[in-house]
Amino acid sequence: MPELTDCHIHTYRCGHATGSAEDCVQAALRRGLSGVVFAEHLPLPRSLDPDSRLSMPAEQIGDYLAEVDAARRAHPELAVVTGLEADFLPSQVPQTAQTLSALREAGVTVVLGSVHFLDGWAFDDPDCIGEWETKDIDEVWKRYFAVWCDAVSSGLFDIMAHPDLVKKFGHRPSFNPAELYAQAAAAAAAAGVRIEVSSAGLRKPVGELYPSAAFLRAFQAAGVPVVASSDAHTPDEVGNNAEAVYEAMRQAGYTSVSFPDGDGGWKEIGL
Ligand code: ZN
Ligand code: FE
Ligand code: FE
Ligand code: ZN
């Protein structure tokens, strides 16, 4: 078995997760992982997250960075990388770019990009699931992939999180999405970003990895490198189903998985 890593871990600071960085590091060590990336949700604009239920409060960013630093110093036996999960908000690209560049100066070495909002609708939030009833699923899928390709091409992100999150609750298009997958994979290759293979989908109604096997094959064919993720929101979920993630990568034809070196570069681990 190759070294196991987890590139997407949350802490209590985002308001919908539990556990400190230290708790998650302890869990990673118990599970025998060799490296973890903390990817707390970058604070959203107040209008989208008025009570800090979806993202960490802006005033906690400094404490978050210090907490991850402390966990790294306390555990030299584990690679502990400081990252963030940032939303792609099409109307806020310059502001997001400015925020992320300041945070990269402050010690963030990897940024995961996510599409959780389509035109202001948090389509993956269980509290907003009712809105699906008012939508044409085919149109939501097409809109999701159009926004996803813009996110990839924005230059804001190093890794794209849960690439086919639109399927979270099991909503499937009536058409074969192969063309959307090919376009997304080509956009990712052109932008030089990596994508995560996330076990989080196994814990959701859809019951499968993000991305699907067909989408992952499209990324492999386009030459897009991968990282392994759990999107843990509790210490218990750190490294969740890592073996299934690595097996899916091998099935798709990948021979290595990336892990950030904490200095803006990447290390490749053979599968
Ligand atoms: Zn979250
Ligand atoms: Fe996310
Ligand atoms: Fe996440
Ligand atoms: Zn996520």
Side-chain angles (χ1 to χ4, degrees):
M1 196 66 199
E3 284 176 35
L4 297 177
T5 58
D6 187 340
C7 290
H8 190 157
I9 295 173
H10 293 277
T11 70
Y12 71 92
R13 292 186 190 275
C14 64
H16 60 273
T18 61
S20 64
E22 175 64 23
D23 295 334
C24 293
V25 162
Q26 293 290 346
L29 290 168
R30 280 197 300 278
R31 206 143 295 178
L33 302 190
S34 66
V36 294
V37 176
F38 284 93
E40 193 54 285
H41 294 282
L42 181 72
L44 281 160
R46 278 268 167 244
S47 56
L48 291 173
D49 188 20
D51 44 9
S52 293
R53 185 181 62 83
L54 300 175
S55 64
M56 111 177 103
E59 59 273 16
Q60 286 194 27
I61 291 184
D63 291 341
Y64 166 67
L65 299 179
E67 183 181 347
V68 176
D69 275 350
R72 174 170 40 249
R73 279 195 304 272
H75 301 281
E77 70 277 34
L78 182 72
V80 177
V81 174
T82 305
L84 286 168
E85 176 178 10
D87 281 87
F88 180 65
L89 303 171
S91 64
Q92 315 256 337
V93 170
Q95 294 92 324
T96 306
Q98 202 169 27
T99 302
L100 289 177
S101 94
L103 288 168
R104 287 183 194 270
E105 292 288 314
V108 170
T109 59
V110 64
V111 178
L112 282 74
S114 294
V115 175
H116 297 117
F117 293 91
L118 292 178
D119 309 304
W121 169 38
F123 66 88
D124 78 316
D125 185 340
D127 289 351
C128 305
I129 193 171
E131 224 172 298
W132 275 96
E133 301 307 318
T134 71
K135 308 271 186 190
D136 175 333
I137 294 173
D138 287 359
E139 292 308 315
V140 176
W141 269 65
K142 287 182 207 158
R143 181 77 185 132
Y144 173 83
F145 278 87
V147 174
W148 195 89
C149 287
D150 288 347
V152 160
S153 311
S154 69
L156 295 171
F157 311 121
D158 306 302
I159 300 170
M160 292 306 294
H162 37 59
D164 52 359
L165 181 65
V166 66
K167 73 184 178 185
K168 174 174 175 177
F169 299 120
H171 300 96
R172 300 285 187 181
S174 65
F175 57 87
N176 180 339
E179 186 56 34
L180 296 179
Y181 294 164
Q183 287 165 2
V193 302
R194 282 166 167 73
I195 60 122
E196 71 171 12
V197 178
S198 169
S199 62
L202 295 173
R203 306 190 300 270
K204 301 299 190 267
V206 69
E208 61 176 48
L209 299 173
Y210 303 117
S212 66
F215 197 7
L216 186 54
R217 277 195 303 275
F219 284 121
Q220 195 276 338
V224 177
V226 284
V227 305
S229 291
S230 70
D231 208 346
H233 281 70
T234 69
D236 259 8
E237 291 171 352
V238 172
N240 191 249
N241 282 305
E243 292 80 1
V245 165
Y246 278 44
E247 182 55 26
M249 291 172 178
R250 284 190 290 266
Q251 291 290 329
Y254 281 95
T255 56
S256 70
V257 55
S258 304
F259 187 80
D261 67 4
D263 203 23
W266 300 90
K267 155 178 150 175
E268 297 297 326
I269 301 165
L271 285 167

